[in-house]
Amino acid sequence: MGLLNSLLEHNRSFVDNREYEQFQTDKFPDKSLAVLACMDARLVELLPKAMGLKNGDAKLIKNAGALVTHPWGSVMRSLLIAIYELRAEEICVVAHRDCGMNAIDPARILDAACQRGVSADTLATLRSAGINLEGWLKGFDNVEDSVRHTVSVIRTHPLMPRDVPVHGLVIHPVTGQLDLIVDGYATLPKAA
Ligand SMILES: [Zn+2]
């Protein structure tokens, strides 16, 4: 039986036994919070538990490295929608120690793509179209610098209201300890 079948089988008993009832809530985050975190599998349950978040508390956006790779990409759009449409009032960027995006090697990924059937011609075509594949796949060298940069990109985005605190944190993937890198309250404009 494949993975999909086992997922669907679990789902049938989950719904039949009404296990969903303990998770019922609405779409507005009870803690008025949006979180941008890494997709690392160690954080699936650890991150919300370590932050004291339960179902319904926050809008949670995940990708590789907790990065905003483009100011007009889907992560930034999701954060803006969380603020303007879904009553989020604060943002936390949560990266983590031992992240796979730390010092990732774009050449290794492209080699693997070639071994999986992507042709060298395809890579050449993309490059001649002006796509910087290495730059696009690149991760970060230092997780704390990366968090500071991501916080700055979000905070200074032209469509982000200036009164939204954007915090930066790094979580330990084993203990769940959070290290504060950027206190978003400290960079808010001073009230007149
Ligand atoms: Zn990660």
Side-chain angles (χ1 to χ4, degrees):
M1 189 171 67
L3 174 61
L4 178 61
N5 282 337
S6 71
L7 292 176
L8 292 172
E9 187 171 297
H10 168 85
N11 181 253
R12 274 188 290 276
S13 85
F14 179 87
V15 175
D16 289 349
N17 296 329
R18 303 171 71 91
E19 290 179 49
Y20 54 84
E21 286 178 349
Q22 61 185 309
F23 300 109
Q24 282 179 349
T25 178
D26 62 30
K27 66 182 179 181
F28 300 109
D30 295 336
K31 291 196 172 168
S32 303
L33 176 66
V35 176
L36 168 59
C38 183
M39 66 183 189
D40 193 294
R42 292 169 291 181
L43 304 182
V44 170
E45 290 188 74
L46 180 69
L47 181 132
K49 291 261 169 36
M51 294 182 73
L53 299 175
K54 62 182 190 336
N55 211 43
D57 276 349
K59 314 305 284 191
L60 180 52
I61 302 152
K62 288 189 161 190
N63 68 15
L67 298 169
V68 176
T69 53
H70 197 289
W72 303 106
S74 66
V75 171
M76 201 60 231
R77 185 174 60 168
S78 300
L79 290 169
L80 290 166
I81 289 169
I83 294 291
Y84 287 114
E85 287 283 308
L86 298 166
R87 304 180 193 166
E89 294 172 2
E90 305 196 22
I91 295 171
C92 283
V93 176
V94 187
H96 65 100
R97 309 283 172 198
D98 188 35
C99 183
M101 290 302 281
N102 192 349
I104 198 168
D105 181 0
R108 195 177 64 229
I109 294 174
L110 294 173
D111 278 351
C114 288
Q115 284 172 18
R116 295 285 293 272
V118 176
S119 74
D121 280 353
T122 297
L123 297 187
T125 302
L126 292 169
R127 288 199 168 98
S128 66
I131 296 174
N132 175 359
L133 294 171
E134 281 75 10
W136 184 63
L137 289 167
K138 186 178 175 302
F140 50 80
D141 296 325
N142 177 293
V143 68
E144 296 181 8
D145 288 346
S146 175
V147 166
R148 281 188 204 96
H149 176 71
T150 303
V151 165
S152 166
V153 170
I154 296 169
R155 194 172 57 79
T156 62
H157 192 278
L159 295 184
M160 183 59 71
R162 292 291 170 256
D163 59 352
V164 173
V166 185
H167 312 292
L169 302 128
V170 174
I171 192 169
H172 192 286
V174 176
T175 67
Q177 178 178 314
L178 288 167
D179 293 330
L180 180 63
I181 309 302
V182 180
D183 176 347
Y185 302 129
T187 52
L188 288 180
K190 301 278 181 286

